[in-house]
């Protein structure tokens, strides 16, 4: 069982230890402040700060390079467009264009369109979707896969 006097003694001891600790810290701070008057110490601190700044800049540069690399990869991934789902007729046109550039008349004959306008409209729609590219040679327009 702890008596009241024991508690009081512990408080006194703690206060004494706290006071001596406070005096010890004050002494350390005073000695360190005296060191700051020495130009050699200040130069050493400045040198260490410069080294740390260079290290930090190297780390930041590496991080920035990695972020830029990830951004480029992300842009490439976003730039890829999945091929749109095409109706069977358009798939047939795409398969026909795999052989090489074709004009609307070629598509008309191959797929049995009555007029050239229907084939031309289909090819232009595929061009609008980015599936084919067109190139004009004289009066004819040739379509090829993008």
């Amino acid at each position: 069982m702890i008596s009241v006097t024991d508690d009081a003694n512990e408080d006194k001891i703690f206060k004494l230890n706290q006071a001596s600790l406070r005096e010890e810290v004050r002494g350390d701070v005073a000695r360190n402040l005296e060191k700051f008057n020495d130009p050699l110490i200040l130069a050493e601190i400045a040198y260490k700060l410069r080294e740390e700044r260079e290290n930090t800049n190297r780390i930041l540069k590496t991080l920035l390079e990695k972020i830029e690399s990830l951004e480029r990869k992300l842009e490439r991934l976003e730039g890829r467009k999945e091929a749109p789902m095409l109706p069977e007729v358009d798939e047939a046109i795409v398969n026909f264009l795999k052989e090489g550039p074709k004009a609307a008349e070629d598509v008309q004959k191959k797929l049995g369109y009555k007029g050239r306008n229907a084939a031309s409209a289909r090819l232009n729609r595929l061009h609008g979707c980015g599936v084919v590219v067109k190139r004009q040679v004289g009066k004819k327009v040739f379509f090829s896969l993008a």
Side-chain angles (χ1 to χ4, degrees):
M1 187 174 221
I2 299 175
S3 68
V4 176
T5 56
D6 289 341
D7 287 340
N9 285 337
E10 286 181 23
D11 286 342
K12 286 180 184 177
I13 292 171
F14 177 73
K15 286 180 182 175
L16 287 174
N17 285 342
Q18 190 178 18
S20 66
L21 181 63
R22 190 176 298 135
E23 287 303 315
E24 185 180 335
V25 169
R26 279 188 187 141
D28 287 344
V29 169
R31 281 189 298 280
N32 286 330
L33 284 175
E34 288 174 17
K35 290 180 183 178
F36 287 128
N37 292 329
D38 185 0
L40 188 61
I41 298 293
L42 292 175
E44 185 177 342
I45 291 171
Y47 179 76
K48 293 285 184 185
L49 285 172
R50 193 181 119 244
E51 280 183 339
E52 286 303 314
R53 185 178 208 170
E54 287 174 355
N55 288 337
T56 302
N57 286 342
R58 261 189 243 108
I59 291 169
L60 289 174
K61 182 180 177 185
T62 303
L63 288 173
L64 184 60
E65 288 170 355
K66 288 181 179 183
I67 289 170
E68 288 173 348
S69 170
L70 288 172
E71 285 176 343
R72 284 191 299 272
K73 287 179 182 178
L74 183 61
E75 285 173 3
R76 280 195 305 266
L77 288 174
E78 288 175 347
R80 291 184 192 165
K81 293 182 181 175
E82 293 184 21
M85 302 262 312
L86 300 173
E88 285 183 29
V89 175
D90 290 343
E91 285 289 339
I93 292 172
V94 168
N95 289 333
F96 183 53
L97 291 176
K98 286 180 182 177
E99 298 172 9
K102 306 290 183 202
E105 295 88 21
D106 302 327
V107 173
Q108 174 193 358
K109 290 175 188 170
K110 174 74 175 177
L111 299 175
Y113 283 112
K114 292 181 184 175
R116 192 181 59 170
N117 286 345
S120 181
R122 281 279 183 189
L123 287 166
N124 281 316
R125 190 172 89 64
L126 289 172
H127 173 71
C129 293
V131 177
V132 300
V133 292
K134 59 183 176 179
R135 188 181 84 234
Q136 187 165 353
V137 179
K139 290 186 178 185
K140 279 195 168 194
V141 177
F142 289 91
F143 294 86
S144 57
L145 293 177

